[in-house]
Amino acid sequence: MLTIAGLTVRFSGHNGGLLALDDIALHVREGEFVCLVGPSGCGKTTLLNVVAGLERPSAGAVTLDGRPVVAPSPDRVVVFQEYALYPWLTVVQNIAFGLSSQPLTRRERRERVDYYLHLVHLQGFAAAYPHQLSGGMQQRVALARALVMRPRVLLMDEPFAALDAQTRNLMQQELERLWLAEGNTVLFVTHSVDEAMYLADRVVVLSARPGRILADVTVPLARPRRRTSSEVNAVRERILEVLAPQVATDLA
């Protein structure tokens, strides 16, 4: 469904520029949840931006259902680490913002927004403004704003990194619930192997810069997962064995 073939990204600059990604090849199936992990600066966000159509590759290509990705599109929506909500708009207005570009009647727009408002359990805060919400609630608004577009692919760039540990765990549970309900294909960037183990069908490990795929690990575990189960720990250890030398290289 989503194919990344021979993807290379080089940023121009002094001394020949910076090679960020080198020959990335990845296939993501319909409805699959794939997490990207790797050391800081390995190109995870750059890869996400290319899939979103926000960056152009130096070589290679991204295709969705066989069609080249060359620009942003409503079928690929990004959820950023920063909530990026409009502070002058209410929760409902923030969720509805992107729908203005779609051919919907006023009633259809209202019904869709109401559906996702309830799906993220914020129906009691429809008229609230972002500054009146907790961090977790603001990120749920950002999720609803993405889901209301009904994208084929949901691209998530460390969306829970700024949250405290307890809220982060709760948001991971919420995201899993929403993903199971909606069936979106998800490409999720994280620094946390624990987060990837809880959420992913597959974990793709990138090397230190330039980013190359070192491992593509299937997580064949039933949901919901117990974070401390022996099965989860076994897969976690496999990923950490691949990742640890890359983090050491990044710190050197």
Side-chain angles (χ1 to χ4, degrees):
M1 175 258 199
L2 177 67
T3 299
I4 301 168
L7 188 72
T8 297
V9 176
R10 181 184 293 275
F11 296 111
S12 60
H14 186 61
N15 292 331
L18 175 71
L19 183 61
L21 293 170
D22 186 24
D23 196 24
I24 300 292
L26 181 66
H27 299 277
V28 182
R29 294 184 293 274
E30 183 89 36
E32 196 171 24
F33 199 123
V34 176
C35 281
L36 304 174
V37 300
S40 296
C42 72
K44 299 185 296 295
T45 295
T46 299
L47 178 55
L48 212 68
N49 286 340
V50 173
V51 176
L54 299 172
E55 299 257 12
R56 295 297 299 273
S58 306
V62 177
T63 58
L64 181 62
D65 295 328
R67 296 188 299 273
V69 170
V70 295
S73 167
D75 61 9
R76 288 163 282 112
V77 175
V78 185
V79 178
F80 299 98
Q81 179 177 337
E82 299 81 13
Y83 313 127
L85 302 179
Y86 297 109
W88 59 88
L89 298 181
T90 65
V91 166
V92 161
Q93 291 167 338
N94 267 285
I95 294 173
F97 186 83
L99 292 179
S100 60
S101 62
Q102 297 201 353
L104 299 173
T105 66
R106 183 175 298 179
R107 178 177 177 178
E108 288 170 335
R109 188 178 298 118
R110 183 176 64 250
E111 288 177 348
R112 192 185 292 192
V113 171
D114 285 347
Y115 172 79
Y116 286 100
L117 189 67
H118 281 75
L119 194 66
V120 298
H121 302 315
L122 286 174
Q123 59 269 27
F125 296 87
Y129 289 89
H131 74 273
Q132 297 172 313
L133 306 176
S134 68
M137 293 168 74
Q138 289 185 55
Q139 194 57 285
R140 279 151 64 193
V141 176
L143 275 171
R145 185 177 60 184
L147 291 171
V148 79
M149 302 298 293
R150 296 186 176 166
R152 295 288 308 286
V153 183
L154 192 60
L155 304 167
M156 309 190 74
D157 190 5
E158 296 193 77
F160 308 141
L163 302 175
D164 64 83
Q166 184 176 0
T167 304
R168 184 170 184 161
N169 284 351
L170 290 173
M171 287 303 303
Q172 291 165 7
Q173 294 171 28
E174 280 292 291
L175 176 58
E176 182 183 49
R177 178 181 65 83
L178 294 169
W179 170 67
L180 291 171
E182 293 292 292
N184 305 89
T185 303
V186 180
L187 196 58
F188 187 105
V189 166
T190 180
H191 276 94
S192 170
V193 175
D194 287 345
E195 184 167 64
M197 288 304 307
Y198 185 80
L199 291 170
D201 294 321
R202 287 162 56 204
V203 180
V204 176
V205 183
L206 297 183
S207 69
R209 187 173 61 241
R212 302 183 178 98
I213 293 180
L214 296 178
D216 188 339
V217 181
T218 299
V219 186
L221 304 176
R223 301 172 184 273
R225 295 169 182 163
R226 281 199 306 116
R227 299 174 190 270
T228 57
S229 72
S230 58
E231 295 84 2
V232 166
N233 285 332
V235 183
R236 180 190 291 112
E237 286 303 313
R238 287 174 55 198
I239 295 169
L240 288 173
E241 284 177 7
V242 177
L243 186 59
Q246 304 304 312
V247 175
T249 299
D250 182 55
L251 293 175

